[in-house]
Amino acid sequence: MNKIISFLFVLLIVNVSLINGQYGTPTFKIDNAPTLQLVKQYNQSQIYSLSSSGYEKPIIIANLTGTHYEMGFAAGYLMSQEAFENYNVMVGAVLPKTWEKDAFEAFLDWQWNDYLSKQITQNYLDEIQGYSDGAQASGFTQLGKTIERGVVISSFPGNPTENIEYLLRNELLGGFSDYLINNDRLDVLEKVKEIINNNNNNNNNNNNNKDQDSSCSTTTSKGLQCSHFSTWGDKTINGDMFNGRNLDWLNGSGISNNKLITFYHPTGQYSHAAIGFAGLIGAIVGISSKGIFVAESDNDSVKVTFDGFAWSMRLRYIMENAANIEEAVSLWESTNNTMGMCHSLASATEASTAEHPAFALETMKGYTAFFTDNDPNEHYIFTDPKTGEKTQMGYPLDNAVYRTNHGYDETIRKNEWEPAIPYGDSWTRYMLFYNTFSYYTASNITISETQAINITSILGNKHSIQDIYSSPAPFYDCTDAWMGYNIISSTFHFASNKMFVAFEEGFGQQRICAACGTYVEVDLSPWFGPF
């Protein structure tokens, strides 16, 4: 336990020196007065530009109203070019080096046709068809299967390249072969077999050179540094709920050239906001007009499937159908998981009324573990397999739930691709949450918007993700912000009808990762009220 006390003490000193001085990560800014302007309109739907001093190109705001087909049609009519551009940069970013584009797209189409499309609800299939029809009606003929393929790419947790090759090596090659044969794509099948054989040989060589005891490995993969939190009650001003989410994924790929906030107003369902990029129709993070907050972070599991509800669409499904936290949890339990992840479900309007207004979810194929605030199941003690030394890794708190990229449920931990260890990157970031909340409590500082944005910003990756972070110091340093993998950083204060959204900006060494950039204040009241 001496190690734990020492570690916490060091983190608290860092937090005091930085938070007390600036109440923020060194260079993040808040733009409280961005400029909103109508750009174009189709029937009941509009595209706006949201201009901010922190961004050279305005953020796109899509305000879509109608049936799901009508919302999709409007989106395709109004921004199919942007969706197509983003799809191409995503493919460029995640395409395995040994793959050719036609083989990769055949794989995406197979996953969509045989798996993800089977459990997605009909209204979203209608929306995707509407997107395609709207693009055609606008005169844009290149969209093709861009939207479906975008859903598949975004459904892979962590590093899409590694996950694709893992699936093919371990589970799905037979099914993919049948798909290619049935669709007369024997040319692609031969390419895929060659790719897998080459990769298997490389993996065997690598495995022969690895330490067989990998239980204390400290390696980290691209895209494994997302995080999210909810806090409320005695920790916050007026007891309001605050939520935050970081997306560390595909940095510098070009996807942020078309930054997008979408407000959906589906007929007969609840309005909701999704923050992301053109061409991605799911919710990376979002909040509904009922105050239902949703978020995701990766936690790769050895038990994976695509025979489930694509997670980004599932989060939208919950936002548009749940009026409260009980309904949100029920909707989750009535649908199926795909791969290993951590999620947040929270209800901002029930911060003072629900016994548990927020949950952290740890998931894998066929299994979800729910955690409340101060959940005793989170008090996990790690035992070093070599030395027998014990280290407490779980630190739950009252009126706060938070997750990075590892789990605390016993079943989840047993099936994690790479279980977290003390002083590893995911745990270091988890402890940043714990220590920042603890610092505010010990200093009698009530969390308001500035502190909530600060918590969000601290957790965003600001340096090369290839580094192994066993110290909190890199999370307070924006010196090399152009290298950081953080591309979306967002904070929500639903009680005040506000969200604060930061995106990565720029390219090369002029690039600034989201958490070191400008958080743009977005007033939710015009979008969730009569418009």
Side-chain angles (χ1 to χ4, degrees), residues 438-483:
S438 297
Y439 165 73
Y440 284 142
T441 299
S443 302
N444 293 316
I445 296 173
T446 302
I447 295 172
S448 63
E449 289 167 1
T450 303
Q451 287 78 29
I453 295 170
N454 179 57
I455 295 168
T456 310
S457 175
I458 288 172
L459 269 289
N461 176 269
K462 304 170 184 68
H463 294 266
S464 170
I465 209 163
Q466 300 300 334
D467 294 339
I468 298 167
Y469 298 140
S470 58
S471 160
F475 295 94
Y476 297 107
D477 182 9
C478 286
T479 304
D480 294 321
W482 68 276
M483 299 172 64

Side-chain angles (χ1 to χ4, degrees), residues 287-306:
I287 199 162
S288 76
S289 59
K290 291 294 184 179
I292 300 297
F293 168 78
V294 296
E296 171 272 347
S297 59
D298 176 59
N299 182 22
D300 281 350
S301 169
V302 297
K303 290 194 173 183
V304 299
T305 180
F306 260 12

Side-chain angles (χ1 to χ4, degrees), residues 51-190:
S51 300
S52 167
S53 58
Y55 300 94
E56 181 177 348
K57 186 177 178 181
I59 298 166
I60 302 168
I61 290 191
N63 190 56
L64 306 177
T65 303
T67 65
H68 278 270
Y69 178 84
E70 290 168 341
M71 291 192 299
F73 191 99
Y77 191 88
L78 295 170
M79 52 181 179
S80 53
Q81 176 69 52
E82 292 84 353
F84 186 69
E85 289 175 2
N86 273 7
Y87 167 73
N88 283 316
V89 299
M90 277 196 299
V91 170
V94 305
L95 182 65
K97 291 181 180 179
T98 56
W99 284 60
E100 295 181 26
K101 188 176 180 181
D102 58 346
F104 181 63
E105 291 185 330
F107 173 82
L108 298 178
D109 293 344
W110 168 57
Q111 287 293 291
W112 174 258
N113 291 332
D114 284 15
Y115 294 95
L116 287 177
S117 67
K118 303 300 184 184
Q119 294 201 30
I120 200 169
T121 55
Q122 184 62 45
N123 56 351
Y124 295 125
L125 297 177
D126 294 342
E127 187 174 317
I128 291 168
Q129 184 61 53
Y131 212 119
S132 177
D133 293 347
Q136 290 284 340
S138 74
F140 188 80
T141 59
Q142 297 175 273
L143 190 69
K145 299 178 180 179
T146 290
I147 304 304
E148 299 98 311
R149 290 169 178 169
V151 172
V152 178
I153 291 174
S154 65
S155 294
F156 282 104
N159 185 335
T161 301
E162 291 179 356
N163 277 283
I164 289 167
E165 293 182 345
Y166 173 84
L167 284 173
L168 287 176
R169 284 198 310 271
N170 293 280
E171 294 188 26
L172 304 176
L173 184 55
F176 191 26
S177 299
D178 293 342
Y179 174 83
L180 294 173
I181 292 169
N182 292 336
N183 286 273
D184 197 24
R185 298 300 306 273
L186 298 182
D187 56 330
V188 174
L189 178 59
E190 291 307 310

Side-chain angles (χ1 to χ4, degrees), residues 258-283:
N258 294 299
K259 306 170 180 68
L260 177 65
I261 300 171
T262 305
F263 289 94
Y264 294 95
H265 308 282
T267 302
Q269 296 171 296
Y270 301 122
S271 298
H272 53 285
I275 300 167
F277 306 97
L280 297 179
I281 64 170

